[in-house]
Structure formats: structure tokens, C-alpha cells
Amino acid sequence: MTSIGGAASSGMVDWNLAVATATRLVRPGPEVTRDEARAVVAELRRHAKASEEHVRGFTRLGTEETHDTPVLVVDRPGWVRANVAGFREILKPLLDKMQERRGSSPGGAVLGAVGGKVTGVELGMLLSFLASRVLGQYETFAPPTRDLPAGENGGGRLLLVAPNIVHVERELDVQPHDFRLWVCLHEETHRTQFTAVPWLRDHLESEIQAFLAETDVDPMTVLERIREAAQSLAGGRPEGEEDNGGRSLVEIVQTPGQREILGRLTAVMSLLEGHADFVMDGVGPAVVPSVAEIREKFQQRRAKGASRLDLALRKLLGLDAKLRQYRDGERFVRAVVDEVGMDGFNRVWTSPNTLPTKAEIAKPADWVARVHRKPEG
């Protein structure tokens, strides 16, 4: 197994152990022959390439030269390795801060005994849960590794998780060719957003680092939340405690300053996810004949979750908030495009100042009034 960077087993999280645990626990994908697997991978690569032109034409964003980030078709363990590398990169400031506090914290001795290995196992359990659910992902902050290249100059990479795509297309009983292209359109939109809007990645990173810098939380509290989520996966949580008081892992690390930052991040993520859904549906009818059937079945699946346990974990991990982001963001994009057209909507990408606020996501007319306000003359 490839090490996730140097000294991966030291500090708050044993990252290599997280990868090993997730890889061991993740459920096997759907049964396919070797020839079928090769065909799926080849088709996803073709669809990803075709999606570039479809998305550029519909959104009027980017050029052929802006796409310098690789498209990687991966299996579930590949998704785990990629995400652990990304998590380690973006969470380093927070984990370094927690490491410094560990010795002086009231729970420092206990945390020291638990150590990074137990944390790595528990994080691995969560990743094994998520690894069978993600269809695709644009990794914005992906550092390149030997097995997982990333774009030049800090660019990310686009992941397509082949076994999950096959699993869902079979579960929904939809046309595989159409479903695979439909998924690629959504993920390609995310790649276009970040490659066509150069300041977007740096803006998001600065917001995330400001959020992490504001964190002032007992390391034991974070560890306990990870443990609770892991116990949910193992069926070890008492009956009636699955909702964790309604608090997600994100919500427990909020100071007043963080609440402001999180509001801005929520607005941006709603915009990005909603825009991808809008583009996927806008392009769909021309190139995906069964798009209406796919959309209806997929939304039903997205809304209901797989089980009571799945719903509990979605709440704990904040995934229920992500579902709202798709819905609210898509409504915002649709309303703005209806009002001022695609070029008018694209003014959203001008600078951080033209991004919608959380309140404007809910009231698109307010964003239109602010950004398209005619100068008094």
C-alpha cells in the first residue's frame, strides 16, 4: 500500500491506517466481468471527454485550453486513497492546532492513549461508508500522488467511481449509456467551474482555512463525534440516539466567526451544486434521451436515503445539508437565468463580491438587484 505522504502515522490521525481500514471494510462493487469492467471504464472516459464540449456550450464558460485537470476512473479503494490525500492536505492546520492542544487539554491523557491509530480506524470506517455512495467528485484541493495525478499549478482532478455508477444504474433500472453520460455532465460542470474561474479555488481555500483557524474546540469532542459515527456503522449506538441531538460534525466546531464563514461557504456550495444540476438537466434533453426518467428516479433515491441508519449518518456527517444545497442552488440558478439569461447569470463568476450570499440563494431577485443594479445617472 502506498503511504499517504511522510509521517502519515503520526499525530492526530494515522492516515495510512484510515486507508487500510476503509479498503478492508468497503463493500464490494456489483458483479461484472473483466471485459464489462473495461467497457465501463472506456465509456466513462469517452463521456467525460464529450461532456466538456456540451458543458462549455451550454454554460458559455471556459475554453478547451482551460481543462488541464485529469479525469480518473477509479474503484472504491481508489476513491478512498484520493480523499484521504485531500483531507490530509486541507485539514493539516486544524490537526496541527489540535495536536498542540492535546497535551494541555483536560482530555489530553486519554486522547494520547487512544492515539492516532484509533482515530485512523474510525475515520476509515466512515470513509468505507461513503466510498460506496459517491458517483463522481471534482477534487478541488487534490495533491498529486504517485498513483493519483492532479492538475498543474494546484489544479484538482475529476474522479468517476465506476462501480458505484454501475450499481446505481442497475438499482434505478435506467439505460446505462444515458445514465453514465448524465453523471459525467454533472461532474464536468464542477471541473468547468474551477478551471474557467481561476480565482474560485483560492477563494474557497482561504475561506476554509479561515474557518479552521477559528476553531477552538476540545480535541476530545471531535474524536467523540467520529467515534459516534463509527459506532453507528457498527450498530453499536443505543436505540434513540441516532440523531446526535441534531448536530453534525461541522456544527460542533462553530464559533461566531465560523458561523459567518460557514454561511458564505454554504452559499458557494449551493451555487456550485445547483449550477451542476441545472446544467445537467439543461444539456440532458439534447444528448440523454431518457433524462426525464433518470432525473425522476434519481431524485427519489436521493431524497429517501437507503435506510434508517443511512439517514442517521447523513445527519451526523452533514450530508442532509448537501441535499438541500442541490435543491436550493438549482432554484437560484434557474430563477436568475430566467430573469437575466445565461450571460447575466455568469456575472456570478466575476469576483468573490458577485457570489450570492446565503440569503440571496433563498431570494434570487435580491442577487439580481444587487449585481445588475443600474448605475444612477
Side-chain angles (χ1 to χ4, degrees), residues 46 69 81 186-187 219 264 279:
R46 290 196 303 272
T69 55
R81 289 192 295 272
H186 181 101
E187 303 307 333
R264 295 195 297 269
V279 172

Side-chain angles (χ1 to χ4, degrees), residues 165-176 179 290 293-294 297-298 301:
I165 293 172
V166 172
H167 171 78
V168 173
E169 71 191 27
R170 291 179 179 179
E171 179 185 301
L172 298 182
D173 190 24
V174 292
Q175 213 286 330
F179 184 74
S290 60
E293 177 193 1
I294 291 173
K297 289 182 175 180
F298 192 77
R301 180 183 186 273

Side-chain angles (χ1 to χ4, degrees), residues 86-87 89-94 140-141 194 200-215 250 253 257-258 260-262 264-266 268-269 272:
F87 288 159
E89 182 88 358
I90 201 69
L91 292 177
K92 187 177 185 301
L94 174 62
T140 314
F141 308 107
F194 283 94
L200 184 58
R201 180 189 183 277
D202 289 341
H203 172 69
L204 263 184
E205 183 174 24
S206 67
E207 291 278 59
I208 291 170
Q209 294 304 336
F211 181 89
L212 296 178
E214 283 269 339
T215 299
V250 171
V253 291
Q258 283 179 310
E260 289 187 22
I261 298 169
L262 191 62
R264 295 195 297 269
L265 282 170
T266 298
V268 174
M269 297 312 296
L272 298 180

Side-chain angles (χ1 to χ4, degrees), residues 236-367:
R237 299 189 61 190
E239 184 74 18
E241 292 187 7
E242 68 278 353
D243 67 355
N244 193 31
R247 305 178 77 200
S248 72
L249 284 168
V250 171
E251 290 171 322
I252 66 166
V253 291
Q254 286 190 52
T255 64
Q258 283 179 310
R259 279 193 289 273
E260 289 187 22
I261 298 169
L262 191 62
R264 295 195 297 269
L265 282 170
T266 298
V268 174
M269 297 312 296
S270 296
L271 171 69
L272 298 180
E273 295 294 356
H275 184 234
D277 267 11
F278 177 78
V279 172
M280 184 167 59
D281 289 345
V283 174
V287 296
V288 182
S290 60
V291 64
E293 177 193 1
I294 291 173
R295 183 64 156 153
E296 181 180 1
K297 289 182 175 180
F298 192 77
Q299 281 188 321
Q300 290 173 355
R301 180 183 186 273
R302 183 189 271 176
K304 71 181 182 180
S307 66
R308 181 167 171 268
L309 172 61
D310 193 49
L311 291 170
L313 282 164
R314 274 170 30 179
K315 177 173 284 189
L316 180 65
L317 298 172
L319 300 182
D320 53 343
K322 186 174 178 66
L323 297 180
R324 289 194 297 272
Q325 288 170 4
Y326 285 109
R327 184 178 63 246
D328 297 345
E330 197 274 341
R331 278 201 296 253
F332 170 84
V333 176
R334 187 172 300 281
V336 172
V337 172
D338 285 347
E339 179 70 21
V340 295
M342 185 63 76
D343 290 335
F345 165 79
N346 280 341
R347 290 182 64 175
V348 77
W349 312 116
T350 304
S351 76
N353 293 329
T354 56
L355 290 172
T357 65
K358 191 175 179 180
E360 288 170 342
I361 288 287
K363 294 184 177 180
D366 290 354
W367 180 87

Side-chain angles (χ1 to χ4, degrees), residues 10-244:
S10 64
M12 299 293 295
V13 181
D14 185 331
W15 296 105
N16 283 342
L17 189 55
V19 171
T21 301
T23 301
R24 185 176 69 253
L25 295 178
V26 71
R27 291 180 294 179
E31 291 188 10
V32 294
T33 66
R34 183 166 296 183
D35 287 343
E36 287 173 331
R38 288 197 189 102
V40 170
V41 171
E43 184 173 25
L44 286 173
R45 286 176 176 154
R46 290 196 303 272
H47 285 332
K49 183 64 178 175
S51 294
E52 293 180 22
E53 184 176 349
H54 294 317
V55 171
R56 282 200 308 269
F58 185 80
T59 64
R60 303 175 196 171
L61 289 175
T63 65
E64 192 168 348
E65 287 70 33
T66 61
H67 287 70
D68 69 337
T69 55
V71 176
L72 306 178
V73 181
V74 298
D75 58 9
R76 290 169 178 175
W79 179 89
V80 168
R81 289 192 295 272
N83 275 265
V84 166
F87 288 159
R88 187 166 189 243
E89 182 88 358
I90 201 69
L91 292 177
K92 187 177 185 301
L94 174 62
L95 295 179
D96 286 349
K97 184 175 182 178
M98 290 172 64
Q99 179 77 19
E100 291 174 5
R101 290 193 57 183
R102 188 168 74 173
S104 58
S105 169
V110 177
L111 186 59
V114 172
K117 290 191 178 299
V118 172
T119 311
V121 168
E122 291 170 339
L123 178 60
M125 292 175 71
L126 294 181
L127 288 169
S128 72
F129 168 80
L130 295 171
S132 62
R133 285 157 171 77
V134 176
L135 302 182
Q137 174 184 357
Y138 183 77
E139 281 202 290
T140 314
F141 308 107
T145 68
R146 187 178 68 187
D147 301 324
L148 295 163
E152 298 178 3
N153 303 317
R157 57 183 166 232
L158 181 61
L159 304 179
L160 296 169
V161 191
N164 296 350
I165 293 172
V166 172
H167 171 78
V168 173
E169 71 191 27
R170 291 179 179 179
E171 179 185 301
L172 298 182
D173 190 24
V174 292
Q175 213 286 330
H177 172 88
D178 287 4
F179 184 74
R180 295 167 192 175
L181 177 55
W182 188 73
V183 171
C184 288
L185 289 170
H186 181 101
E187 303 307 333
E188 176 58 36
T189 302
H190 287 316
R191 188 163 74 129
T192 297
Q193 290 162 348
F194 283 94
T195 54
V197 186
W199 55 264
L200 184 58
R201 180 189 183 277
D202 289 341
H203 172 69
L204 263 184
E205 183 174 24
S206 67
E207 291 278 59
I208 291 170
Q209 294 304 336
F211 181 89
L212 296 178
E214 283 269 339
T215 299
D216 185 22
V217 64
D218 178 0
M220 286 300 296
T221 305
V222 175
L223 183 62
E224 183 60 28
R225 287 299 183 269
I226 294 175
R227 180 171 294 109
E228 288 174 2
Q231 288 172 348
S232 289
L233 291 174
R237 299 189 61 190
E239 184 74 18
E241 292 187 7
E242 68 278 353
D243 67 355
N244 193 31

